[in-house]
Amino acid sequence: MNTEAVVSIRNLNKSFGDNHVLRGIDLDVQRGEVVCIIGPSGSGKSTLLRCVNMLETPTDGTVVVLGTDLTDLDSDLDAARTKIGMVFQSFNLFSHMSVLDNVCVAQRKVLKRSKDEAEKIALQLLQRVGLSEKATAYPAQLSGGQQQRVAIARALAMNPQVMLFDEATSALDPELVGEVLNVMRGLAEEGMTMLVVTHEMGFAANVASRVVFMDGGVIVEQGPPAQIINSPQEERTKAFLSSVQQH
Amino acid sequence: MAISKRKRAQYIRFGVYALSVALVVAVVLLVDWSRLQGAMFRWDLVKKQFPGLITTAARNTIIFTILGFAGGLALGLFLALLRLSRARAYRWFAATYIEIFRGIPLVVTLLILGFGIPIAFKWQWPNPYLRGAVPLALVAAAYMAETIRAGIQAVPKGQMEAARSLGMSYSRAMATVIIPQAMRIIIPPLTNEFVLLIKDTSLISILGVTEGTIDLARYGRNGVFDSANSTPLIVAGLAYLVMTLPLTQLVAHMERRQKASGR
């Protein structure tokens, strides 16, 4: 069980019209691993992440999550998605619902939990992300960092086996990035399997068990963070890292 | 001496204003008010319109409007979902329906459907209200479908993605996440739709009326025939205003609030 692949991607290709965004990706994520995907914008890293829960339909290849091939039309995609939590760059909290309802609605409607049970779980998770006093607030009343922490709680309420973070801190004011990264770090320390698309090199260096560098729709280089970030082998990786570190 | 641009603009504004006031005054002075009052606003005839104006005519107008609106909203929502479907045939069907019903005058549609449906299905309207309200709803649905579609498309794409990522099916996500947010956006335009429907019910009487199903406009016209005076029509017109003005003011209020809250 220790080396069970939670996510297993083979020969993944994705095109938008003539734009060939992913060109044959192979990637495995083991249980408990924190894999950070870095790379220049347009390299396909967000598309790769969105293929893991089929928000984008791959043009070719297979995506196996927890033993289910999601590219198989016979697989139950909605059931599989409950086990794959996703956190978006733009938070995407349901703006017509309170914080508590945001965290409860899918528990109630999808997992069929009772109102009491869902609220109990929601309040525990809100406490964990430090927002229990905001349960009755609406998303528009929260800061970006608070909204993103609610979004993380909302995803965790489904008891996911793996969490996807799609540039979760990119839309935040700099002073709010830390509070979200801290929650993510806490999750990683508890052993959550995570696939993280990020521009935060510090997070990748300190938290990731593996760093994947993508460019032009392919995985250029991957390995332990110290190796990739401090002594990259490929020219493209070096060029990207030096451009990132200049500022 | 040359005058500055800003001064000139000021003079022009003043000139237009003065001209408008003069026009209003001229109309007021030129109209023969006592003659007009004799033909169109006789108090004894105003009083004669009540209580039938309220208990029958306004009541029927409201019944037709609510039936037409409820039916139109349900069918309009269905058409909007077809219009946004991934299946081309559904999109095409909805688009055709919408174009046809928006492109034909209501009078024509009312006559064709009011008399055509019973012929087509060898069937009689079980109820004179339905004979008027069903065609009205079918037309209203075409307009509402476009309003609802625009509202659904105005909800950010990320809302659907977040809902799907939590394991909700497409229809569940629509019902619990997208449509409630779309409704908030489209309540003002739908209220305008309601106002239009109130006025459109005045056409239903061309299908024929009975004593019980007479609407405001026909009530006013019948009053004109009975009294050889236009007062009943004026009263009917005022009765429409009593219904529509609060609604249009409500829309204006909601739009101001939406603007203030920035969404």
Side-chain angles (χ1 to χ4, degrees), chain A residues 94 96-97, chain B residues 159 163 168 172-181:
Chain A
F94 304 136
H96 61 306
M97 293 182 191
Chain B
Q159 296 285 311
M168 291 189 203
R172 166 96 59 205
M174 268 289 169
T176 55
V177 175
I178 306 299
I179 290 173
Q181 292 186 55

Side-chain angles (χ1 to χ4, degrees), chain A residues 15-90:
Chain A
S15 299
F16 295 101
D18 291 336
N19 189 8
H20 201 166
V21 180
L22 297 178
R23 300 166 179 265
I25 303 279
D26 293 306
L27 182 68
D28 284 327
V29 181
Q30 310 298 326
R31 189 169 291 281
E33 253 194 320
V34 177
V35 176
C36 282
I37 305 173
I38 61 172
S41 52
S43 58
K45 50 195 194 305
S46 278
T47 306
L48 170 62
L49 200 69
R50 290 163 59 83
C51 281
V52 174
N53 68 351
M54 294 284 128
L55 284 183
E56 302 292 352
T57 309
T59 313
D60 191 22
T62 57
V63 177
V64 179
V65 180
L66 299 160
T68 307
D69 180 1
L70 302 184
T71 56
D72 179 355
L73 288 178
D74 288 330
S75 65
D76 185 345
L77 190 52
D78 291 336
R81 278 176 173 152
T82 65
K83 305 192 184 86
I84 310 170
M86 184 152 192
V87 176
F88 299 85
Q89 180 176 352
S90 49

Side-chain angles (χ1 to χ4, degrees), chain B residues 80-151:
Chain B
L81 292 174
L82 289 187
R83 194 89 164 74
L84 294 168
S85 156
R86 282 162 77 171
R88 182 174 304 190
Y90 292 157
R91 288 203 306 270
W92 184 85
F93 171 81
T96 309
Y97 181 100
I98 291 165
E99 290 305 329
I100 287 176
F101 279 93
R102 288 202 308 178
I104 298 176
L106 180 58
V107 192
V108 178
T109 317
L110 273 173
L111 288 169
I112 293 175
L113 293 178
F115 296 121
I117 290 178
I119 294 170
F121 296 102
K122 281 194 180 161
W123 178 74
Q124 282 304 312
W125 291 104
N127 175 322
Y129 287 112
L130 288 183
R131 185 180 61 180
V134 168
L136 193 66
L138 292 175
V139 175
Y143 287 93
M144 288 198 232
E146 285 296 90
T147 306
I148 296 168
R149 178 185 61 83

Side-chain angles (χ1 to χ4, degrees), chain B residues 189-248:
Chain B
L190 278 186
T191 311
N192 278 330
E193 208 66 60
F194 192 85
V195 170
L196 291 178
L197 270 181
I198 293 177
K199 298 186 291 173
D200 283 347
T201 55
S202 62
L203 293 171
I204 286 174
S205 65
I206 57 159
L207 293 173
V209 285
T210 64
E211 195 69 25
T213 62
I214 196 163
D215 73 288
L216 264 177
R218 177 58 70 118
Y219 188 82
R221 282 168 64 193
N222 285 358
V224 171
F225 296 139
D226 291 345
S227 63
N229 188 286
S230 296
T231 303
L233 213 48
I234 298 285
V235 176
L238 290 173
Y240 279 107
L241 272 183
V242 167
M243 289 192 268
T244 56
L245 274 181
L247 289 171
T248 49

Side-chain angles (χ1 to χ4, degrees), chain A residues 1-230:
Chain A
M1 280 297 275
N2 281 342
T3 56
E4 174 197 356
V6 176
V7 178
S8 184
I9 296 165
R10 289 290 172 275
N11 187 35
L12 182 64
N13 281 272
K14 175 67 184 176
S15 299
F16 295 101
D18 291 336
N19 189 8
H20 201 166
V21 180
L22 297 178
R23 300 166 179 265
I25 303 279
D26 293 306
L27 182 68
D28 284 327
V29 181
Q30 310 298 326
R31 189 169 291 281
E33 253 194 320
V34 177
V35 176
C36 282
I37 305 173
I38 61 172
S41 52
S43 58
K45 50 195 194 305
S46 278
T47 306
L48 170 62
L49 200 69
R50 290 163 59 83
C51 281
V52 174
N53 68 351
M54 294 284 128
L55 284 183
E56 302 292 352
T57 309
T59 313
D60 191 22
T62 57
V63 177
V64 179
V65 180
L66 299 160
T68 307
D69 180 1
L70 302 184
T71 56
D72 179 355
L73 288 178
D74 288 330
S75 65
D76 185 345
L77 190 52
D78 291 336
R81 278 176 173 152
T82 65
K83 305 192 184 86
I84 310 170
M86 184 152 192
V87 176
F88 299 85
Q89 180 176 352
S90 49
F91 327 134
N92 297 345
L93 291 184
F94 304 136
S95 59
H96 61 306
M97 293 182 191
S98 69
V99 163
L100 187 65
D101 287 342
N102 262 279
V103 185
C104 286
V105 62
Q107 296 188 65
R108 302 281 319 277
K109 305 264 181 186
V110 180
L111 301 181
K112 309 290 180 198
R113 285 177 184 155
S114 72
K115 187 165 187 278
D116 288 348
E117 191 188 2
E119 286 185 358
K120 198 176 132 213
I121 292 169
L123 288 171
Q124 281 169 0
L125 287 167
L126 287 175
Q127 185 167 26
R128 170 174 177 177
V129 299
L131 288 170
S132 36
E133 80 282 10
K134 296 287 186 188
T136 57
Y138 279 79
Q141 300 167 311
L142 303 181
S143 74
Q146 291 170 330
Q147 289 190 51
Q148 194 61 297
R149 286 186 280 151
V150 173
I152 293 172
R154 177 176 71 176
L156 289 175
M158 308 301 283
N159 300 118
Q161 303 287 303
V162 52
M163 286 283 288
L164 312 176
F165 290 87
D166 187 6
E167 303 198 21
T169 58
S170 297
L172 296 176
D173 291 337
E175 74 271 22
L176 303 177
V177 169
E179 62 190 65
V180 173
L181 289 181
N182 280 339
V183 172
M184 291 168 63
R185 190 185 317 249
L187 273 180
E189 281 162 6
E190 286 168 31
M192 176 63 79
T193 310
M194 292 163 61
L195 204 46
V196 184
V197 168
T198 186
H199 293 292
E200 297 293 331
M201 289 305 143
F203 182 84
N206 296 323
V207 182
S209 34
R210 180 156 45 113
V211 173
V212 172
F213 173 71
M214 279 182 73
D215 191 18
V218 297
I219 293 176
V220 176
E221 187 172 1
Q222 59 177 309
Q227 178 195 319
I228 300 296
I229 291 174
N230 299 329

